Amino acid sequence: MNPEVTLRVNGRRYELQVRPDRLLLDVLRDELRLTGARRGCETGYCGACTVLLDGQAVHACCLLAVRAGGREIQTIEGLASNGKLHPLQRAFIEEGAVQCGYCTPGMILSAKALLDENPAPGPEEIRQGISGNLCRCTGYVKIIRAIQTVAQAKGGGRP
Amino acid sequence: MSVTGGVGQRIPRIDAEAMVTGKVCYAVDLQVPGMLVGKIVRSRVPHGRIVRVDTSRAEQMPGVRAVITGLDMPDRKIGLALRDATIVARHKVRYVGEPVAAVAAVDERTAEEAAEAIDVVIEELPAVFDPVEGAQPKAPVIHEELGSYGHSTFMARHYNPIPGTNIAHHYWYRRGDVEAAYREAALVHEETFRIQPVHHGYMEPHVAVANVEPYGRVYLWSNTQRPFEVRKLVAEMFGWPEGRVRLTITKIGGGFGGKITPWLEPIAVALSARAGAPVKITLTRAEDFVTCRRQGGRVRVKSGVAQDGTLLAREVEIHWDSGAFSDLGVSVSTLAAISSPGPYRIPNVKVNSYLVYTNKVVAVPYRGLGVPEVMWAAESHMDSLAHRLGLDPIDIRMKNLAEEGDVAPWGEVFHSIGVKECLRRVKEVRERRRQEGDGRGWGVAVMHKFSTPGTMSEAVIRMNSDGTLLLLSGAPPIGQGCETSLAQIAAEGVGVPVSQITVVAGDTDATPFDAGTFSSRVCFHSGNAVLQAAREVRRRALELAGELLEARPEDLEIANGEIYVQGAPDRKTTMAEVARVSHMSQGAPIIGVGAFRGGGSFKFDPDTGLSGRAAAHWEYGAVLVKVDVDRETGKIDLRQVIGAHDVGKAINPLTVEGQIEGAALMGIGAALYEEMVFDGGSLVNPNFMDYLIPSALEAPDTEPILVETPHGEGPFGAKGIGEGPIIAIAPAIGNAVYDATGVRIRELPLTPERVLNALEAQA
């Protein structure tokens, strides 16, 4: 008998029976069909699987689902509210920060975690904040710019 | 009359909203009811004879639905050019990681356990890992049947394997007399360069899903860059008419050339046929690393130069490290060899290019198709020549760079060649910065990049009953944003806002043929086909509107979806009304069809190897970089990259910049950090912890400069931009290291260790 786990994802409660060795990423994708978090490696280095756990960016491919029980999980699907995109999502669109899009959800969530903690990061802090998320398409130029525009709109973004 | 979101406008990607909300279906997300999980069993031996593949234990495991070995696959070799590849090894293995069997089971864990239960016995043979050694007459032969392989038709009869050796293809050309020119030259200088194998590092793994209906269709879903080519190869392999197979692409999480050859699709098909259920194969990252890579190899380059820097002669000899099969190597090794002297005026040229099999992961197309390798050599060498003659590296290039109408080293006439303008633009930056006191550590390199000749694109634009348009294109968007640029071309061609256009891409049942997304061809080829289709839609719409407005079509104008009589804007109708009438009253829906075949061919003069035209179009550019080198640690600090690129016409400057910025960092990865390290044929770093793809911390300040030298055959003058911006990065960095330290490093990547060794040798 698999243990019962309560996952709180994007403000909803899910009661699930989860095998103890199941990864949070697999439960999100296979059980809850939240596919915005993606597998890019299996080793926690690419960041495509990034979700927010109590506001912190974590690699869902390296976290057992049972360990996330009772904690607040946010995925990319929960970022827009009432059909209104989050400022980071808008900035990524407008600045051209999206190419193949595979890394985009994880990248946006890492950026959100960064801005929630430090509303006015400089470019080096932004680089540091997203350094756990690999993007092979963009060269990060427009991603960094997109995050800067949101930081600046919040009154931050010192050069 | 400009349209909203038309050509030349810097608009956001039309699919970006779905991307930032995560609501996109990549191949990894595919679910088909009743789907099984497929797993591949791989060789642990680089070269050997298969003695036994014992599947009996696996077959008896509960939950296992199908097990296949190479002998269960059709006995037909496949390949994008030379048909030399087995998808599952039959009697021989040729690299570590080569599939030898596969299973399908009810879940991942069962499939993994079954794969492990398969007993593979292989008798090892002597192996070859280096292309130069592999080309020697006494090297162990990897393909005994080389002389009997068939080939695709797209390269006409341009195949020159040397049976009995590991040379899958030898291409050469000669112009003038290099030996005579060397005797006249003030300086004759020769250097040898090496390029390491690197991996594409796309973020989404290879995935294929197959559902074989026993008496019906064969459904395939995958993240391939060339759906029509894959459909053709799968149909050919299994002996089916192409139309039986439907291949639908998903959203593709990056490709860069790595997702072309159908390595997985035939395995998924064979498993599905045997299991009687859909099968999905998703590669692990470690498996992706042994599925594709860039060629690399060795390039020897020798030049004769006059005292004033004028190039008199150049010889290039290339040994490509092809790996176990040749894949598209015949094309790559030919066209990159053609490009190898650089975009210069050189009257005497001699080029030899050898595509050599080795017992390593198969080399496949990789952003730049071999040109990054040859330009690393040619453009590093160009700096060596400048320094030996006491010339400025930019001046020696300016002196020799070709212009419109000049004859290229390989025989064709240069057209739409904005390379000098690109170099002028980066020179301005360097001069300004030097005046500001930034003295040393500047490096420059130029580049050109062919788009593969003689490839085909078709497009269809259908008017919906509300006047909006459906654009059908067979070219898969792989992240570069072609759904947006093609929609912009369509919008401009018809005269409607881009918001009126929905793009359907890469479904062999729904879209017309397209050779696919590779070789910077989509904007140029598919763009031309789309423009033709759009003009047909416009012509038909104006004809019909003319009837409605009782005016001559030539007196009508379309602006943002409205059609009006020129000079009498009150006499107007809408696209919606035109659509309604065409569909409902006339029963003649408006459909535009376009087709475009790119120029050039694989025909070469039999005596000289020269080409009348080797490419559909050429990209040009110049890159300037600034580095600081730490003499204590050998670490290169890449401060800035300025990339000036001639795009013909920027259909969407925002996405063009994205290509330049992204390709620059990919080039930086291959120049400074990335290397697939093999130990006896085994890849020792098949993961992102040990294989170092640049993160945001490694991304320098990058400034794209767009130069527009219209191409006579491009849609609105546009050319490709997908590959060019990667090419000059490595030599520009190497040249900057020389400028900073006075040491020339001829082997990639430029690791701190190599830099330190070179500095020590200098001291």
Side-chain angles (χ1 to χ4, degrees):
Chain A
M1 188 70 188
N2 289 321
E4 212 160 273
V5 179
T6 302
L7 290 183
R8 297 214 311 265
V9 186
N10 301 329
R12 280 193 180 176
R13 277 171 62 96
Y14 298 89
E15 308 280 340
L16 299 164
Q17 287 191 345
V18 175
R19 223 171 54 205
D21 63 349
R22 289 274 277 170
L23 299 168
L24 177 61
L25 178 65
D26 294 333
V27 172
L28 289 174
R29 289 179 57 82
D30 299 343
E31 314 293 327
L32 307 186
R33 294 300 294 154
L34 296 168
T35 55
R38 303 175 179 121
R39 186 186 300 281
C41 62
E42 297 83 31
T43 46
Y45 275 85
C46 80
C49 63
T50 302
V51 298
L52 300 184
L53 189 67
D54 293 336
Q56 299 286 314
V58 297
H59 290 146
C61 81
C62 295
L63 187 71
L64 294 174
V66 289
R67 305 271 300 182
R71 300 171 72 181
E72 204 62 57
I73 300 162
Q74 189 173 26
T75 72
I76 195 69
E77 289 87 351
L79 197 57
S81 60
N82 302 322
K84 197 165 167 281
L85 295 181
H86 186 275
L88 277 166
Q89 291 172 311
R90 275 209 311 278
F92 268 60
I93 295 172
E94 282 158 18
E95 296 297 327
V98 177
Q99 285 194 25
C100 87
Y102 200 76
C103 74
T104 304
M107 195 68 82
I108 289 175
L109 290 172
S110 283
K112 179 177 188 297
L114 169 71
L115 294 185
D116 286 349
E117 194 174 301
N118 175 6
E124 278 318 304
E125 289 165 306
I126 292 175
R127 284 171 202 273
Q128 198 71 51
I130 59 169
S131 63
N133 295 78
L134 295 179
C135 168
R136 190 59 152 173
C137 297
T138 63
Y140 305 99
V141 179
K142 294 191 186 316
I143 291 175
I144 293 167
R145 196 168 300 149
I147 298 169
Q148 268 173 324
T149 62
V150 176
Q152 278 155 4
K154 286 185 174 178
R158 59 180 189 273
Chain B
M1 185 66 67
S2 78
V3 302
T4 309
V7 165
Q9 293 180 38
R10 188 184 176 86
I11 61 165
R13 291 261 299 262
I14 59 176
D15 56 343
E17 238 173 85
M19 312 277 241
V20 299
T21 50
K23 309 265 190 219
V24 193
C25 182
Y26 294 88
V28 293
D29 302 323
L30 281 170
Q31 295 282 343
V32 180
M35 191 172 81
L36 303 171
V37 176
K39 280 278 167 203
I40 296 170
V41 181
R42 295 171 183 278
S43 171
R44 291 177 186 167
V45 169
H47 194 199
R49 263 176 224 302
I50 299 176
V51 177
R52 188 172 71 241
V53 181
D54 183 353
T55 59
S56 53
R57 268 205 307 141
E59 279 172 70
Q60 283 156 20
M61 290 168 68
V64 174
R65 295 284 184 269
V67 182
I68 58 159
T69 71
L71 297 175
D72 300 312
M73 299 288 285
D75 188 12
R76 284 202 187 92
K77 291 196 164 61
I78 75 167
L80 296 172
L82 204 59
R83 306 275 202 247
D84 61 0
T86 46
I87 292 297
V88 182
R90 283 179 79 83
H91 302 295
K92 242 188 116 166
V93 292
R94 297 179 172 90
Y95 67 100
V96 175
E98 182 170 359
V100 289
V103 301
V106 290
D107 58 34
E108 178 115 18
R109 189 185 263 192
T110 310
E112 273 167 12
E113 284 169 4
E116 269 168 37
I118 292 176
D119 189 23
V120 181
V121 180
I122 295 172
E123 177 196 323
E124 272 205 65
L125 294 168
V128 177
F129 304 118
D130 178 84
V132 179
E133 285 169 25
Q136 300 307 311
K138 284 183 181 162
V141 173
I142 299 171
H143 287 262
E144 294 84 352
E145 325 84 330
L146 179 57
S148 66
Y149 289 152
H151 54 75
S152 84
T153 53
F154 112 92
M155 277 179 278
R157 283 193 290 279
H158 180 65
Y159 292 88
N160 187 24
I162 305 180
T165 76
N166 290 316
I167 299 171
H169 183 60
H170 174 208
Y171 168 68
W172 55 267
Y173 67 98
R174 315 270 183 272
R175 183 168 181 237
D177 182 346
V178 290
E179 297 300 335
Y182 291 150
R183 289 193 290 275
E184 304 293 315
L187 169 70
V188 176
H189 184 51
E190 178 178 336
E191 293 174 276
T192 300
F193 296 86
R194 286 185 181 272
I195 303 96
Q196 83 283 27
V198 294
H199 178 59
H200 303 72
Y202 39 73
M203 284 296 123
E204 183 190 25
H206 271 88
V207 179
V209 180
N211 187 14
V212 180
E213 292 183 343
Y215 303 101
R217 302 288 303 273
V218 174
Y219 295 97
L220 268 173
W221 296 265
S222 82
N223 45 12
T224 179
Q225 298 175 227
R226 296 185 68 180
F228 284 89
E229 182 73 12
V230 170
R231 179 180 72 157
K232 178 189 176 64
L233 289 171
V234 168
E236 223 175 76
M237 186 170 200
F238 289 90
W240 297 326
E242 277 183 25
R244 187 177 173 198
V245 181
R246 177 181 191 174
L247 195 157
T248 310
I249 60 155
T250 57
K251 205 79 182 172
I252 298 171
F256 312 108
K259 288 176 178 162
I260 293 180
T261 308
W263 299 117
L264 300 187
E265 289 86 345
I267 301 179
V269 163
L271 287 171
S272 171
R274 182 154 291 202
V279 173
K280 178 178 184 177
I281 304 175
T282 308
L283 293 192
T284 64
R285 183 53 63 177
E287 286 182 291
D288 265 293
F289 266 102
V290 294
T291 298
C292 55
R293 66 171 172 92
R294 184 166 88 175
Q295 273 85 3
R298 191 187 81 171
V299 183
R300 207 170 55 76
V301 55
K302 179 178 180 181
S303 296
V305 203
Q307 194 61 49
D308 68 352
T310 303
L311 286 171
L312 303 176
R314 178 161 286 177
E315 257 179 285
V316 187
E317 183 197 60
I318 315 159
H319 285 82
W320 302 95
D321 180 357
S322 182
F325 303 119
S326 63
D327 198 72
L328 202 61
V330 178
S331 170
V332 170
S333 66
T334 298
L335 296 172
I338 277 192
S339 323
S340 65
Y344 297 108
R345 286 186 302 260
I346 314 177
N348 302 287
V349 184
K350 183 176 166 188
V351 173
N352 273 295
S353 174
Y354 302 94
L355 179 69
V356 187
Y357 292 122
T358 57
N359 292 114
K360 298 217 293 269
V361 174
V362 184
V364 306
Y366 174 105
R367 197 176 207 166
L369 292 178
V371 187
E373 287 100 313
V374 295
M375 284 294 114
W376 159 243
E379 281 298 283
S380 297
H381 179 66
M382 205 64 188
D383 254 44
S384 294
L385 297 177
H387 295 306
R388 280 169 183 260
L389 293 169
L391 299 171
D392 182 287
I394 291 185
D395 293 345
I396 193 175
R397 289 179 169 84
M398 212 53 109
K399 188 172 197 60
N400 289 287
L401 281 173
E403 296 178 358
E404 182 82 25
D406 283 340
V407 177
W410 57 94
E412 80 174 77
V413 176
F414 283 114
H415 168 59
S416 175
I417 174 165
V419 64
K420 272 191 166 179
E421 178 59 17
C422 293
L423 188 57
R424 261 192 289 273
R425 299 287 293 274
V426 300
K427 185 180 181 181
E428 281 170 20
V429 177
R430 190 193 67 175
E431 298 311 294
R432 191 178 68 236
R433 295 284 300 278
R434 276 186 172 169
Q435 278 167 13
E436 291 165 8
D438 244 341
R440 298 196 79 74
W442 293 101
V444 75
V446 300
M447 72 85 197
H448 59 167
K449 167 67 184 51
F450 62 83
S451 182
T452 302
T455 69
M456 185 76 182
S457 283
E458 300 168 4
V460 169
I461 300 177
R462 285 168 29 193
M463 191 178 284
N464 302 312
S465 66
D466 63 353
T468 60
L469 300 171
L470 201 60
L471 164 54
L472 310 176
S473 160
I478 60 170
Q480 83 282 44
C482 68
E483 61 286 86
T484 303
S485 52
L486 293 180
Q488 288 180 272
I489 289 170
E492 191 75 36
V494 178
V496 298
V498 73
S499 59
Q500 301 295 293
I501 294 165
T502 300
V503 181
V504 176
D507 177 339
T508 59
D509 269 17
T511 66
F513 177 84
D514 195 291
T517 302
F518 66 104
S519 204
S520 307
R521 63 176 299 286
V522 173
C523 180
F524 190 84
H525 295 75
S526 313
N528 265 320
V530 166
L531 181 57
Q532 214 181 83
R535 287 185 171 146
E536 170 73 1
V537 166
R538 181 185 172 89
R539 191 184 63 75
R540 294 274 317 276
L542 288 179
E543 256 175 32
L544 212 157
E547 289 172 27
L548 297 176
L549 297 170
E550 296 180 343
R552 296 186 306 176
E554 55 269 34
D555 294 336
L556 300 179
E557 189 56 68
I558 306 182
N560 277 333
E562 288 198 326
I563 305 171
Y564 61 92
V565 180
Q566 283 170 31
D570 292 349
R571 285 174 65 196
K572 65 180 179 186
T573 184
T574 60
M575 290 299 263
E577 180 62 10
V578 164
R580 196 188 61 76
V581 173
S582 73
H583 276 270
M584 301 305 184
S585 307
Q586 298 194 337
I590 294 178
I591 299 175
V593 178
F596 180 80
R597 185 183 184 280
S601 74
F602 282 92
K603 292 197 184 81
F604 303 97
D605 182 287
D607 297 323
T608 61
L610 293 175
S611 163
R613 182 171 173 186
H617 68 74
W618 290 85
E619 297 165 69
Y620 296 100
V623 166
L624 173 73
V625 304
K626 169 79 171 83
V627 304
D628 292 335
V629 179
D630 186 329
R631 284 181 165 271
E632 299 296 311
T633 62
K635 189 174 181 303
I636 297 168
D637 183 7
L638 183 55
R639 306 299 299 274
Q640 201 179 13
V641 176
I642 295 110
H645 292 278
D646 172 17
V647 298
K649 165 79 185 172
I651 300 293
N652 182 341
L654 186 68
T655 53
V656 169
E657 286 171 11
Q659 288 302 294
I660 296 174
E661 293 158 358
L665 190 61
M666 200 166 171
I668 290 164
L672 296 182
Y673 311 109
E674 297 175 32
E675 177 166 18
M676 294 170 78
V677 179
F678 290 92
D679 178 13
S682 295
L683 182 64
V684 301
N685 57 343
N687 58 68
F688 287 148
M689 182 170 67
D690 302 309
Y691 184 91
L692 302 174
I693 281 180
S695 77
L697 295 172
E698 284 77 45
D701 175 21
T702 302
E703 182 190 334
I705 297 174
L706 274 49
V707 170
E708 297 182 323
T709 313
H711 194 290
E713 296 166 11
F716 303 98
K719 302 189 282 190
I721 186 64
E723 298 169 290
I726 196 174
I727 289 167
I729 296 288
I733 295 173
N735 294 340
V737 170
Y738 183 91
D739 192 48
T741 64
V743 299
R744 167 74 49 201
I745 302 169
R746 298 184 180 84
E747 191 163 356
L748 292 173
L750 303 171
T751 56
E753 188 185 3
R754 284 211 172 98
V755 174
L756 267 188
N757 287 342
L759 286 168
E760 275 168 25
Q762 177 196 43

